[in-house]
Amino acid sequence: MTVFEYQRPRSLSEAHELLLRDDSVALAGGTDLLVAIRRHAADPGLVVDLKSVEEIGNGINLDEGRLVIGGRVVMSRLVRDEAVNDEFPALASAASVVGSVQIRNRATLAGNLCNASPAADTAPALLAYGAAVTITGGPASRTVPLDEFFLRPGSTVLGRGEVLTSVELPVPTDRVGAAFARVTRRRGVDLASVSLACVVDSGRARFGFGAVGPTPLVAESPIEELATDDGWERLLAVTRPISDVRAGADYRFAMLRVHARRALETAMSRLRART
Ligand SMILES: Cc1cc2nc3c(=O)[nH]c(=O)nc-3n(C[C@H](O)[C@H](O)[C@H](O)COP(=O)(O)OP(=O)(O)OC[C@H]3O[C@@H](n4cnc5c(N)ncnc54)[C@H](O)[C@@H]3O)c2cc1C
């Protein structure tokens, strides 16, 4: 049996102090962390539960042209939220396929990012929409573009004592169309073998890719260049699929090619429907 100390701080400064301890780890919904502890993939001496830290927001608010999603917001909340569905439908779609209802009621968006799985389902949509995250450690805060947040599987730029307090998305000033796509081995609860999101405006397409590299990835291209195979090869050159228990590298790349094209078509037709 794994034994660890458990603390439930009420303020960000208290959480920060506790998380400075070398053997500590933050807990949000626990849907990744508790699985890791049970599998002995994590062996913390101190678990710091963030659920009572009100400064880590639990709301989704429009603020000066950005949608600010608090660090305690769970997937079910994203799926229901009107502003997310209106402005960032690919994020709502991604959140809606995470695990099961029970998982979505516990799993936070922040935890999905901080866990840093290459297959995190919300990451491609957030990357395609140009999201950033706010990280707080003690009195200092910094905002990091999401495409600079992930370092390698399971690792991010978060330093000891730091907490992800919010995710921010710039509300598009032009009309955009978006689509999310995901390939899994079976219907029902499964992690993605390939996932992606596509956001288009009148000239450019921006894609986020999941499970086809060591971290979630982003790439963009003028739409007209995606009329040719060369244009697609250039766009997809950023990806580095591997073979693992969920899929072979060749299969992943084949699925990526097909679903990226379909996502572009869907996003374009949604853009046309909005104009
Ligand atoms: C049955 C099952 C099915 C699943 N299906 C999917 C799926 O389909 N798609 C998918 O993407 N994921 C899936 N997951 C993974 C998981 O649900 C998500 O990654 C979830 O969003 C993690 O959030 P959490 O709040 O539970 O994080 P936790 O488990 O509490 O934490 C995860 C990691 O992030 C850190 N952390 C959490 N919050 C913060 C914070 N605010 N600041 C700093 N560090 C923090 C923790 O220290 C820990 O290292 C599944 C999990 C299970 C158990």
Side-chain angles (χ1 to χ4, degrees):
M1 189 174 75
T2 307
V3 177
F4 52 81
E5 189 186 337
Y6 170 87
Q7 295 278 355
R8 192 162 176 153
R10 300 210 157 258
S11 71
L12 208 42
S13 62
E14 203 188 331
H16 170 63
E17 286 301 317
L18 291 165
L19 287 168
L20 285 176
R21 225 173 95 171
D22 272 356
D23 62 347
S24 66
V25 67
L27 171 109
T31 62
D32 278 319
L33 183 63
L34 294 181
V35 174
I37 291 174
R38 284 195 170 192
R39 286 187 182 152
H40 302 286
D43 184 20
L46 168 63
V47 170
V48 182
D49 189 340
L50 302 176
K51 282 197 276 298
S52 298
V53 180
E54 287 187 9
E55 291 148 282
I56 304 173
N58 197 17
I60 302 176
N61 299 300
L62 284 165
D63 175 38
E64 294 182 0
R66 299 170 314 155
L67 189 75
V68 181
I69 303 170
R72 290 186 297 145
V73 168
V74 296
M75 300 295 174
S76 315
R77 180 81 201 283
L78 288 172
V79 174
R80 292 196 306 266
D81 187 83
E82 206 177 307
V84 173
N85 280 282
D86 285 353
E87 300 290 352
F88 305 102
L91 177 59
S93 300
S96 76
V97 299
V98 171
S100 57
V101 174
Q102 292 87 340
I103 294 291
R104 291 193 289 277
N105 284 343
R106 300 295 291 181
T108 60
L109 180 67
N112 198 228
L113 300 178
C114 294
N115 191 55
S117 162
D121 271 316
T122 59
L126 291 171
L127 286 166
Y129 283 123
V133 294
T134 295
I135 295 170
T136 305
S141 272
R142 59 194 172 118
T143 297
V144 177
L146 190 62
D147 58 2
E148 295 171 16
F149 180 70
F150 304 108
L151 297 179
R152 46 188 181 276
S155 177
T156 69
V157 299
L158 278 173
R160 178 131 301 283
E162 287 189 323
V163 166
L164 196 161
T165 45
S166 62
V167 177
E168 291 110 45
L169 291 143
V171 177
T173 45
D174 289 338
R175 289 198 174 88
V176 297
F180 170 75
R182 180 182 195 247
V183 178
T184 52
R185 289 165 299 180
R186 58 176 186 217
R187 286 179 197 274
V189 177
D190 196 8
L191 291 180
S193 305
V194 172
S195 63
L196 61 95
C198 171
V199 177
V200 293
D201 60 20
S202 53
R204 296 189 72 80
R206 188 170 155 104
F207 285 82
F209 301 116
V212 287
T215 65
L217 299 164
V218 64
E220 63 176 291
S221 165
I223 291 169
E224 61 189 25
E225 288 191 15
L226 298 177
T228 66
D229 288 345
D230 283 352
W232 280 104
E233 292 308 309
R234 274 195 297 278
L235 180 91
L236 299 179
V238 66
T239 64
R240 275 175 289 151
I242 58 161
S243 297
D244 65 12
V245 63
R246 283 198 286 283
D250 289 349
Y251 177 74
R252 280 196 156 102
F253 201 62
M255 289 300 102
L256 185 61
R257 281 204 183 99
V258 171
H259 286 277
R261 284 173 192 254
R262 285 187 195 161
L264 177 68
E265 278 170 26
T266 305
M268 296 283 291
S269 70
R270 289 177 180 162
L271 173 67
R272 285 192 289 272
R274 294 193 95 175
T275 49

